[in-house]
Amino acid sequence: MSNTTRRTFTISMLALLAACGRPQQASKFQRYNGPPITQVHINKGQRRMHLLSGQQVIRSYDVSLGNQPIGHKQFSGDGKTPEGVYFIDRFNPRSAFHLSVGINYPNEQDRAFAAAHGRDPGGDIFIHGRGPQGNYLFPQARDWTAGCIAVTDQEMEEIYAMLLPHTPVVIRA
């Protein structure tokens, strides 16, 4: 074997060994093979979220809410989590909060109320993980979001896999 061939072979083997020794990074995208989630119920007072298939609770999670958790979100910047019936309307795999699933706040009634008061209703309400930002800035905070519903990153991976567009989200005081 020539020196060039030996060198090429040695470098190739070292690269192969290095790749084999590297731990596989787990994907944040999971698969879900259970019953379809037909509704999400969030009880703000209990700080609990339930994913249901029909009347059966499939999974439940502790949640964090907006930094002003009492009352229905009415205006941009009020720090409140909305109350009412909404729907899943988008998925964000590149969220600053690990993964996120959007709800369609503001709905028609929310926009009309804010307009009647000459205000902006706000928007961008998500169910999301904590992500590096939430873990760093609010490691122990109970309610720390700007109006969203937050769970751990690991829980958000499960939720992201389980939900489909147009799933109803019922948020109660």
Side-chain angles (χ1 to χ4, degrees), residues 68-84:
Q68 299 296 320
I70 297 173
H72 172 59
K73 180 167 195 62
Q74 296 176 325
F75 308 117
S76 178
D78 65 9
K80 295 181 180 183
T81 300
E83 296 172 1

Side-chain angles (χ1 to χ4, degrees), residues 19-73:
C20 291
R22 232 181 259 158
Q24 282 283 42
Q25 185 169 1
S27 173
K28 63 183 178 180
F29 301 104
Q30 298 183 13
R31 290 184 180 254
Y32 174 68
N33 294 318
I37 301 303
T38 58
Q39 213 170 79
V40 177
H41 281 208
I42 299 166
N43 183 309
K44 290 172 54 175
Q46 294 177 352
R47 306 297 193 285
R48 292 290 285 171
M49 177 170 61
H50 307 285
L51 276 56
L52 289 83
S53 182
Q55 297 299 312
Q56 181 183 5
V57 175
I58 302 301
R59 292 287 303 199
S60 294
Y61 304 92
D62 290 328
V63 298
S64 295
L65 303 171
N67 57 35
Q68 299 296 320
I70 297 173
H72 172 59
K73 180 167 195 62

